[in-house]
Each structure stands twice: as structure tokens, then as C-alpha cells.
Amino acid sequence: TARDVGFSFVGKTKKGLIIEMQGIQKEFEILNILEFNSSRKRMSCIVKIPGLNPGDEPRALLICKGADSIIYSRLSRQNGSNSEAILEKTALHLEQYATEGLRTLCIAQRELSWSEYEKWNEKYDIAAASLANREDELEVVADSIERELILLGGTAIEDRLQDGVPDCIE
């Protein structure tokens, strides 16, 4: 669908990804990846967004995908940040997709100022270098940034199981 409306993945670089956006190729630097695990039920990527004009400070964009219950609990409650109509419509669509046996995920984002990102990244680097309780410390730091999200929408895919699993379940 993204390709049909003019957005496609072109390739990887050492620092990030090249995306073609309506005929123009742009490179986006990936700053951090907050990995998925079964207890987090989500995964996030933080991308550097260059300033609009030369000399402008960059921004950071956190994009999070995960289980609807996890994402909805992390959405911003500030007035007007998430449209109630979109929240309800997305929840309805996700329920319909799940009823059809599809695996569903929500996608949300949070834009950060560069100074917000740098403060958070200092904590992340300390947690990542920790020798004791590294996973727990990374979870606390990730949890602190994966909040105040803006819902982008939901996805649904057919869960293709390994050969023989559908017959076994049946």
C-alpha cells in the first residue's frame, strides 16, 4: 500500500535506510532500536529527522508497533492529540481483523525535540552498558520514552504458520 501511494524502501546504508518518497530519495539515520520481546509486546525505532533548513536543529521520531492493548495504554491523553473517532474506528477494524483470524498490530509515533532525545539517549547508553540487570534497566529506559504516543493506525496480516502446524491445530 505504501508503494502504491508513492513511498517505498530503497535500501540500507551503514547508518540507516533510504526511502523513496513520491519520487525523491531520502536517507534516514536510525538512532536506536528498542527490541521486541514477549513481555514488552512492542518494538520501537527512533529515527533522526533533519531540520527543514540548514542550521535547524534535527528532531527525533519514535515509531512504535505492538499489540493494540499495549499501544492504546501508551497513547497521549492530551486534548486533541489523538482523535476519538480514529481511536474508535481503528479499534473496530482491529476487532474485525482478529475475528477473521488475522494477526493485528497498532502503529504509533512520538516526535521528540533533539534535546529531549539526547537526555533520553544518555540514560539509554548507561542502561545498555550495564553489567548487572541490563535487560531490566533497558526496559525501564524504553518504557520512559514509549509514552505520549499518537496513533497512526492498525495493521493485519495472515499469520502463516510453519508447515503442518495448521493441520496439527485442527
Side-chain angles (χ1 to χ4, degrees), residues 13-70:
T13 65
K14 288 182 181 181
K15 290 186 173 185
L17 305 171
I18 299 172
I19 306 292
E20 186 170 306
M21 300 168 47
Q22 299 180 331
I24 300 169
Q25 286 191 9
K26 290 190 177 186
E27 182 176 347
F28 292 93
E29 182 180 347
I30 296 174
L31 301 170
N32 306 87
I33 294 178
L34 308 177
E35 298 290 345
F36 175 89
N37 68 39
S38 58
S39 62
R40 284 175 38 80
K41 297 181 183 171
R42 65 190 182 280
M43 175 184 178
S44 293
C45 179
I46 303 176
V47 179
K48 183 176 183 178
I49 306 295
L52 296 174
N53 300 305
D56 284 356
E57 190 171 74
R59 296 163 302 167
L61 181 67
L62 178 138
I63 303 168
C64 185
K65 69 173 183 174
D68 58 343
S69 60
I70 297 295

Side-chain angles (χ1 to χ4, degrees), residues 13-151:
T13 65
K14 288 182 181 181
K15 290 186 173 185
L17 305 171
I18 299 172
I19 306 292
E20 186 170 306
M21 300 168 47
Q22 299 180 331
I24 300 169
Q25 286 191 9
K26 290 190 177 186
E27 182 176 347
F28 292 93
E29 182 180 347
I30 296 174
L31 301 170
N32 306 87
I33 294 178
L34 308 177
E35 298 290 345
F36 175 89
N37 68 39
S38 58
S39 62
R40 284 175 38 80
K41 297 181 183 171
R42 65 190 182 280
M43 175 184 178
S44 293
C45 179
I46 303 176
V47 179
K48 183 176 183 178
I49 306 295
L52 296 174
N53 300 305
D56 284 356
E57 190 171 74
R59 296 163 302 167
L61 181 67
L62 178 138
I63 303 168
C64 185
K65 69 173 183 174
D68 58 343
S69 60
I70 297 295
I71 298 299
Y72 269 70
S73 70
R74 294 171 174 282
L75 294 177
S76 175
R77 302 290 178 226
Q78 291 181 5
N79 233 358
S81 56
N82 278 295
S83 159
E84 283 299 320
I86 291 175
L87 294 176
E88 290 174 20
K89 198 170 193 176
T90 301
L92 178 65
H93 287 158
L94 290 170
E95 187 177 327
Q96 290 171 341
Y97 299 148
T99 301
E100 294 173 25
L102 300 174
R103 188 161 43 120
T104 61
L105 290 173
C106 281
I107 302 171
Q109 71 176 24
R110 177 180 177 188
E111 192 170 314
L112 305 159
S113 71
W114 194 246
S115 61
E116 282 178 295
Y117 168 73
E118 288 181 319
K119 286 178 193 172
W120 174 85
N121 195 50
E122 285 177 22
K123 295 175 189 171
Y124 179 82
D125 287 343
I126 290 168
S130 176
L131 297 176
N133 301 320
R134 181 177 182 268
E135 294 301 317
D136 292 339
E137 290 190 34
L138 282 171
E139 173 53 28
V140 169
V141 173
D143 181 70
S144 72
I145 199 81
E146 294 170 320
R147 301 218 171 250
E148 299 304 314
L149 301 173
I150 305 299
L151 182 68

Side-chain angles (χ1 to χ4, degrees), residues 164-170:
V165 172
D167 294 333
C168 182
I169 291 172
E170 191 178 304

